Amino acid sequence: MSGADWLADAVLYEIYPQSFADSDGDGIGDLPGVIAHLNYVASLGVDAIWFNPCFASPFVDAGYDVSDYLRIAPRYGTNDDLVRLVDAARARGIRVILDLVAGHTSVEHAWFQHELNASGPDPLGDRYVWCEEPPAAGWGSDLAGTPAWVRSPGPRPGYYLKNFFDAQPALNFGWTEVDPAEPWRDGTDAPGPRRNVESLKEILAFWLDRGVAGFRVDMAFSLVKGYDGEAAQRRSAAIWREIRDWLDVSYPGTVLIPEGREPRTGQRLAFDADFLLVIYGEHASLFDNGGAGLLPFHPQRPAYFDADGAGSTDLFVGAWEAIQADDPGRLVLLSSADHDFDRLCCGPRTAEQLGAALTFLLTWGTVPCLYYGDEIGMRYVPGSPDVEGAVCNPTYNRAGCRTPMQWDRSANAGFSTAEPDRLYLPIDPDPERPTVADQEDDPASTLALVRRLTALRRQVPALRTRSTTEVLHASYPFVYRRGGTHVVAVNPRREPATAQVISIDTAEVLVAQGLRLSADTLALDGFGYAVLAVRTTAAD
Ligand code: NOJ
C-alpha cells in the first residue's frame, strides 16, 4: 500500500508532546504519558498521530531547534519509549508521524559546534552558511523582524545565516544563483549541501527503521536559498524528489507531509499532500477570528465559522478546487488548528459553535487533522506566558494554543502531578474549562460529536477524500454534496439559515442539530449542522 493510500482515508491527530500527558510528574508531557492515553486517542477514531519534534533540543523554539536528530529528548523518554509507542499505537491501528526539522538545527547541534569552533570552511564542505560580512541587500528576516545573519560568537569569524530564531542556524542546501563576489553561496551540488541531503536520508532511515509511518517536514520548501524566492522553492522541491525516489526504493509507503503547499514545477510531486496551514489565508478565512492576535501573514477578515455570519467559504473552496483542477486526486490536509496559532475555540467563539466547524472538518474532501484538545473544545488561552519561544512578537502569541490537555477535574486537570508552577504552561484557569472526563459519557458533548463523525467517515467512503465534493449552497448555510449520496449542511452563525437544495422525503438524517426539513427547504437553527444520506439529486 502506498502512503497516500492510507492517508487518503485517514484522520490525523496532532499531539504537542509537551502538553498532552505527563507520566513522571516533572510538569512536561512525555511519551509514556501518550502511551497511557492511547486508548483515548483510539477512541477518537483517528488513524495517525503527528508529533511535534520530540528530539534532543535546548528548546529555544519548543523543539524546532534540534541538537540530536537521532535521540528522543530525555524529558520525553528514550528511543525505546518511542518504539514502544509506535508498537502500542500500531496495535490500535494508529500510525505515528514525526516532525522533521529539515532546514535548520540548534546552535547546540554537534555539526554547528564543529563549524563554530573551526577557523574557516570545512574541507568536506560547510553544513551551514557562513559569510565574512552580510550582503548589503540583506537577506530575509524572521517573524520578530530581526536580521537573518547572526554575528558568530566565535571562534569562527563572520556571520551565520539563521532560519527563524538566532539559535536556529540554517543548514546549507545551496543557493539558486552562485556569484564569485559572494563566495559563501554554494551551488546545490556543492559538498556541503550534498552532505546535508545525505544526512536527511540517514535521519529518515533511522526512524523508519523504528517503525514510524512518515514525517511532517518543517519549512520544507525553504531549504535552498535564493534571491528569487520561487526559484528557490522549486530547487527545494527537487531535493524532496530525490529523497522521494530514495524512499520509494528503500522505504516504500512512507508518508511525507509538507509544512504548506508543494510548489508545482511541472515535475512529479514529492509529497503525499498539501497542507492548507493555519497561517494561510484559506484556513484563516474559515476559522481565524483574531483571538490569537494579529499575524503578519494575511489580512484580517471575518471568519466563516463565527457567530455573526459575516464570513465566506469562497477563498477556501477556490483554493481547494484549484488544487483539484491542477492535480486531480491530490490530497489536501486541513487542520482544526495547530501549535503555531489559535484553536478552533478562540476569541469570541464559544463551545456551542464548534459543532458546525467540526462537522465541516470531518466531512469535507480534505484529510482532517485534529489538534489535541479541539475534540473537547479546549480554548485558546489569551495572555499565556512566553515559554520556549512561543511569543514571536507582541501581537503573536503561540502559547495560548499549547496549554496542557484537560483530562479531568483533578489537580492540573489531570495532566500532571507536578506543582502548578512547574507545569510547562498554566492550565486554562477558566473553572468551566472542558474536560475529557466530563464529556466522556455525555452524548451531547463535543467529544461525542467528534467520535460520531469520525465513525461515520470510516463507514461511508463518500465522506472521505476519494469522492466528489460539490457546493450546493455557499454562504449560510454552507451546503455540499459528497459522492452524490450525502449532503452536509452547516450553519455556524447565530441566526437561522435556509437553503432550497434538497428533496427532503428521500433523506436519512445521520447527524443533526437544529435541522428542520420541509418541502424542498433545508433550514438550520443558529449553530446547527447536519449530515444526510440522500437518494435524489439536489434541486436547482
Ligand atoms: C514552523 C513550525 O511549525 C514552528 O513551530 C517553528 O517555530 C518554525 N517552523 C521554525 O522551525
Side-chain angles (χ1 to χ4, degrees):
M1 191 196 240
S2 91
D5 284 344
W6 72 258
L7 188 63
D9 290 333
V11 177
L12 270 55
Y13 189 60
E14 179 186 353
I15 291 184
Y16 190 68
Q18 287 93 320
S19 300
F20 196 63
D22 171 21
S23 74
D24 60 4
D26 67 356
I28 299 179
D30 47 49
L31 299 186
V34 176
I35 294 172
H37 287 88
L38 276 178
N39 284 344
Y40 169 75
V41 175
S43 80
L44 300 176
V46 301
D47 305 275
I49 299 170
W50 154 31
F51 281 105
N52 296 105
C54 43
F55 312 107
S57 167
F59 293 98
V60 171
D61 185 15
Y64 281 93
D65 48 325
V66 177
S67 57
D68 185 347
Y69 288 100
L70 305 185
R71 188 168 158 241
I72 293 295
R75 74 187 199 181
Y76 296 138
T78 63
N79 287 12
D80 286 345
D81 287 329
L82 193 272
V83 172
R84 279 201 304 128
L85 170 56
V86 167
D87 290 344
R90 186 187 297 117
R92 292 164 175 81
I94 297 172
R95 292 172 164 89
V96 171
I97 293 174
L98 299 181
D99 205 317
L100 177 71
V101 189
H104 50 266
T105 67
S106 158
V107 286
E108 292 187 11
H109 196 290
W111 296 338
F112 188 78
Q113 287 299 312
H114 173 75
E115 293 190 10
L116 182 66
N117 287 299
S119 54
D122 190 323
L124 296 176
D126 275 336
R127 286 187 180 272
Y128 299 86
V129 186
W130 299 90
C131 74
E132 285 172 22
E133 276 300 323
W139 168 257
S141 67
D142 67 8
L143 291 172
T146 58
W149 291 98
V150 182
R151 185 185 288 277
S152 167
R156 183 151 177 178
Y159 296 75
Y160 66 85
L161 187 69
K162 71 172 181 180
N163 250 0
F164 198 63
F165 293 136
D166 287 4
Q168 291 165 301
L171 283 163
N172 176 18
F173 289 95
W175 295 68
T176 47
E177 324 88 5
V178 288
D179 179 351
E182 293 186 338
W184 40 267
R185 285 203 247 152
D186 279 338
T188 51
D189 287 331
R194 289 309 310 165
R195 287 171 86 190
N196 284 335
V197 173
E198 293 309 316
S199 293
L200 286 184
K201 293 179 192 167
E202 286 164 18
I203 295 163
L204 294 178
F206 183 87
W207 293 111
L208 290 166
D209 285 340
R210 281 155 184 77
V212 310
F215 299 84
R216 176 266 192 187
V217 182
D218 186 65
M219 296 181 70
F221 305 116
S222 59
L223 298 188
V224 175
K225 309 297 188 198
Y227 290 102
D228 174 346
E230 282 188 19
Q233 286 205 349
R234 287 196 296 274
R235 291 294 279 274
S236 301
I239 292 177
W240 292 110
R241 279 199 302 280
E242 175 188 333
I243 290 175
R244 168 60 75 189
D245 287 345
W246 164 78
L247 282 172
D248 282 348
V249 173
S250 304
Y251 296 94
T254 299
V255 156
L256 286 183
I257 298 167
E259 180 186 9
R261 248 178 274 189
E262 182 166 1
R264 293 341 194 223
T265 62
Q267 310 261 4
R268 70 197 182 287
L269 296 164
F271 286 81
D272 292 290
D274 293 310
F275 206 147
L276 286 187
L277 292 180
V278 168
I279 56 171
Y280 283 1
E282 297 87 13
H283 190 286
S285 69
L286 298 174
F287 302 125
D288 172 26
N289 53 32
L294 293 174
L295 266 183
F297 298 110
H298 53 79
Q300 289 293 302
R301 58 172 73 76
Y304 179 76
F305 283 95
D306 264 352
D308 45 11
S312 164
T313 55
D314 290 355
L315 192 65
F316 168 78
V317 173
W320 189 81
E321 285 179 349
I323 293 173
Q324 298 306 306
D326 288 349
D327 298 290
R330 174 70 165 176
L331 299 179
V332 179
L333 264 74
L334 184 71
S335 58
S336 57
D338 69 31
H339 62 287
D340 278 335
F341 196 27
D342 50 16
R343 278 188 175 278
L344 212 48
C345 189
C346 185
R349 196 175 298 139
T350 59
E352 67 179 332
Q353 294 170 240
L354 302 182
L358 288 163
T359 299
F360 163 75
L361 184 81
L362 292 165
T363 59
W364 186 259
T366 38
V367 178
C369 184
L370 273 171
Y371 185 50
Y372 83 97
D374 278 358
E375 73 276 16
I376 56 168
M378 273 175 61
R379 69 170 180 138
Y380 172 89
V381 183
S384 291
D386 185 9
V387 171
E388 298 185 347
V391 178
C392 290
N393 65 45
T395 59
Y396 179 26
N397 183 347
R398 305 182 284 183
C401 64
R402 298 176 174 182
T403 59
M405 181 70 178
Q406 295 155 199
W407 293 103
D408 56 36
R409 288 182 186 240
S410 67
N412 298 329
F415 162 69
S416 168
T417 56
E419 289 301 315
D421 62 359
R422 293 195 59 217
L423 298 184
Y424 179 70
L425 277 166
I427 306 280
D428 180 355
D430 183 349
E432 298 303 314
R433 64 183 175 234
T435 69
V436 171
D438 283 346
Q439 296 191 14
E440 191 65 60
D441 298 316
D442 176 2
S445 65
T446 304
L447 180 58
L449 176 65
V450 166
R451 287 174 171 155
R452 176 84 189 100
L453 289 166
T454 55
L456 201 56
R457 194 171 169 102
R458 273 193 185 177
Q459 284 157 17
V460 181
L463 295 177
R464 304 202 291 256
T465 58
R466 296 298 192 212
S467 69
T468 53
T469 307
E470 305 151 75
V471 174
L472 304 181
H473 190 260
S475 179
Y476 297 87
F478 184 47
V479 186
Y480 49 96
R481 183 167 41 198
R482 300 296 326 279
T485 55
H486 289 71
V487 166
V488 181
V490 295
N491 177 31
R493 75 180 187 189
R494 188 178 295 107
E495 300 303 320
T498 58
Q500 295 191 327
V501 291
I502 185 169
S503 301
I504 50 108
D505 56 358
T506 57
E508 181 192 350
V509 179
L510 301 173
V511 171
Q513 175 175 294
L515 172 71
R516 279 167 292 118
L517 293 170
S518 61
D520 61 352
T521 301
L522 184 157
L524 282 173
D525 292 347
F527 310 144
Y529 50 84
V531 184
L532 314 171
V534 295
R535 286 184 292 275
T536 59
T537 54
D540 288 338

